[in-house]
Amino acid sequence: MDVVLFGPPGAGKGTQAKRLTSLLKVPQIATGDMMRTERGKGSELGKEFDRYMAQGLLVPDEPVLTLIEKKLAEPEAQAGAVFDGYPRTLAQANSLDALLAKSKRKIFKVLALEVPLEEMVIRATGRRTCDRCGHAYHMRYNPPPSSGTCSCGGKLTQRADDTEEVVRKRYQEYIDKTKPVLGFYKERGLVDTINGVGSVEEVEARLRTSLGV
Ligand code: ADP
Ligand code: AMP
């Protein structure tokens, strides 16, 4: 099953994607995580990604397509995926359709998380991510067991693009370039709008109802 988790930055896509992957038994494909991994390697490509990410701008479509092509060719991604933070432009949505069609797959559903802007800013600026297992805590809503350390023992860090200024820029990119992608999927009747406000468990229950799992 191929599912797109859609929504503005900080809406809870990554948190819910991780829960859905264990239910659906398909991998999470999060382009943001893949870009941060590449950046962590210090490669030229990673440096190019960072030039955009640091400013809250979308990375151009071409390198994103290369990342996705590689990922979808991996054996673990053959039975479906939960796409998180991708597609983010109309060009990306078209290329995802084409890539999936090559293996006779198509998007089953687009789950669009709705969260008010100010809540989104609070969620993103309070996020702390484990550098070992990738779990995202929130300093107020879902605090770590001890400050600075994940339950797995990994170190918690704040993303450089989770400052209020950059989060607002990312939101503007979402409005200008990403939100129009919803219209593309709505025309095909694929979109379920999900209220993203409430506990992580409440939001998960809404997503599961929508997917029928
Ligand atoms: P996204 O992947 O959409 O950017 P995340 O899943 O990383 O968002 O969530 C952003 C922040 O909000 C994280 O700190 C996460 O712990 C927190 N969060 C996620 N879902 C909820 C929720 N339902 N209620 C409160 N905080 C949440
Ligand atoms: P995320 O981890 O999804 O919040 O993404 C963090 C940043 O990575 C974004 O602000 C963009 O700069 C970049 N990024 C992630 N996914 C994409 C994508 N599909 N297209 C373009 N840029 C992306």
Side-chain angles (χ1 to χ4, degrees):
M1 186 190 283
D2 287 289
V3 174
V4 173
L5 264 184
F6 200 89
K13 301 182 296 296
T15 301
Q16 296 298 337
K18 287 190 174 59
R19 289 174 168 245
L20 290 182
T21 54
S22 40
L23 263 173
L24 303 175
K25 311 260 181 297
V26 295
Q28 170 191 14
I29 297 188
T31 41
D33 289 348
M34 291 158 73
M35 288 172 190
R36 281 183 286 278
T37 301
E38 195 61 44
R39 190 179 60 183
K41 292 183 198 161
S43 67
E44 279 312 309
L45 184 61
K47 285 180 195 156
E48 190 195 335
F49 289 155
D50 193 50
R51 278 195 284 279
Y52 297 93
M53 295 167 85
Q55 295 180 68
L57 300 172
L58 289 188
V59 168
D61 291 327
E62 213 178 284
V64 181
L65 177 61
T66 309
L67 276 186
I68 287 286
E69 268 176 331
K70 270 196 207 151
K71 191 75 189 174
L72 282 177
E74 289 177 6
E76 60 155 22
Q78 300 312 305
V82 176
F83 295 96
D84 157 14
Y86 173 86
R88 262 172 149 112
T89 63
L90 283 168
Q92 291 180 20
N94 277 305
S95 53
L96 179 59
D97 272 359
L99 281 175
L100 291 178
K102 277 190 200 167
S103 19
K104 302 202 171 7
R105 283 159 61 177
K106 56 181 179 198
I107 305 289
F108 173 68
K109 215 160 237 191
V110 176
L111 302 165
L113 289 171
E114 283 198 334
V115 173
L117 171 62
E118 292 313 315
E119 173 66 11
M120 222 194 68
V121 172
I122 291 171
R123 285 193 188 178
T125 54
R127 168 166 47 196
R128 298 292 182 276
T129 312
C130 174
D131 67 1
R132 191 186 292 172
C133 72
H135 184 81
Y137 291 91
H138 189 279
M139 295 314 279
R140 190 197 303 174
Y141 299 139
N142 171 24
S146 78
S147 152
T149 313
C150 178
S151 55
C152 79
K155 190 169 147 258
L156 298 181
T157 52
Q158 181 171 22
R159 279 170 45 176
D161 60 351
D162 272 345
T163 60
E164 179 164 350
E165 192 192 346
V166 182
V167 171
R168 289 188 187 276
K169 181 69 206 166
R170 287 160 58 202
Y171 181 71
Q172 198 52 50
E173 284 280 89
Y174 169 78
I175 294 296
D176 295 343
K177 298 178 183 158
T178 305
K179 216 172 166 200
V181 176
L182 264 190
F184 170 89
Y185 287 126
K186 273 185 184 161
E187 275 173 18
R188 289 153 52 187
L190 291 178
V191 178
D192 269 5
T193 300
I194 308 289
N195 177 8
V197 179
S199 70
V200 170
E201 290 74 20
E202 282 165 347
V203 177
E204 182 188 353
R206 291 174 200 143
L207 294 170
R208 289 180 64 165
T209 303
S210 160
L211 291 174
V213 292

